[in-house]
Amino acid sequence: MKNSRQREDSLLHTRSYDFALRIVGMNKYLREQKGEFVLSKQILRSGTAIGALIRESEFAQSQADFVNKLSVALKEANETDYWLNLLHDSHYLNEVSFISMENDCGELIALLVSSIRTVKNKLMRKSEENKRLPDSQHGLLNTFHTLQIMGEDR
């Protein structure tokens, strides 16, 4: 995936982008080969939203906002899994395609859950650190954490 800042993409970025490309291809197949327009539109929306939300999280305003964006991406991934199952059970997707797509979707869900847990744990540790500091040092610590967030420390 090409990006404007010449940065190396994370596994989550790469997998979500590749999954979105597969969803676009599946949507095209469902419309052109199967004549299915309603479910294919739903899965196109939810399946491509995952990567868009992950990409949007790069510029989150805070770690809490970052967690929120990833949490919404997780909801979209879960919805996509629902549409995959419905397409399979209604015989629009064959077994091989379904298993492949569902495995990829499951991997994205696992990566998102792990990422969300990691950041939430960091937020909890930060909160515990703040509770142990005298009031005069909170501003300095908040400045330090803001600088970390602005860097690559997510």
Side-chain angles (χ1 to χ4, degrees):
M1 166 178 41
K2 185 175 180 161
N3 58 67
S4 61
R5 295 187 323 270
Q6 303 302 317
R7 55 126 170 82
E8 197 167 313
D9 289 316
S10 70
L11 181 62
L12 190 55
H13 283 89
T14 303
R15 291 276 177 92
S16 63
Y17 187 81
D18 290 345
F19 185 73
L21 287 174
R22 292 191 68 199
I23 289 288
V24 169
M26 184 178 71
N27 175 267
K28 185 176 178 182
Y29 164 78
L30 289 169
R31 286 184 294 111
E32 293 175 2
Q33 303 298 318
K34 297 286 189 170
E36 199 300 308
F37 297 94
V38 177
L39 300 177
S40 61
K41 187 174 183 178
Q42 292 291 335
I43 199 164
L44 178 66
R45 186 201 53 75
S46 66
T48 57
I50 301 164
L53 286 158
I54 291 166
R55 186 74 178 252
E56 187 178 336
S57 73
E58 292 177 21
F59 291 102
Q61 296 173 347
S62 65
Q63 284 189 326
D65 187 36
F66 182 76
V67 168
N68 182 57
K69 302 252 187 275
L70 291 186
S71 295
V72 175
L74 178 59
K75 290 178 183 181
E76 294 292 341
N78 189 50
E79 181 182 337
T80 300
D81 186 60
Y82 170 81
W83 295 121
L84 284 170
N85 278 279
L86 192 57
L87 285 163
H88 175 255
D89 293 344
S90 59
H91 306 288
Y92 283 109
L93 280 182
N94 65 39
E95 190 74 17
V96 172
S97 296
F98 168 70
I99 290 171
S100 176
M101 293 295 289
E102 189 175 54
N103 285 341
D104 285 356
C105 190
E107 287 178 14
L108 282 174
I109 289 171
L111 286 168
L112 284 162
V113 167
S114 176
S115 296
I116 291 166
R117 282 185 182 153
T118 298
V119 177
K120 281 185 174 181
N121 286 339
K122 282 184 180 181
L123 287 172
M124 288 176 63
R125 283 193 305 271
K126 178 182 167 185
S127 176
E128 290 300 317
E129 287 174 11
N130 281 341
K131 287 178 185 176
R132 291 191 301 258
L133 288 175
D135 288 340
S136 62
Q137 292 185 0
H138 283 276
L140 182 60
L141 184 63
N142 287 337
T143 302
F144 174 72
H145 284 293
T146 301
L147 292 172
Q148 283 182 319
I149 291 168
M150 292 171 62
E152 293 297 318
D153 185 34
R154 285 199 186 180

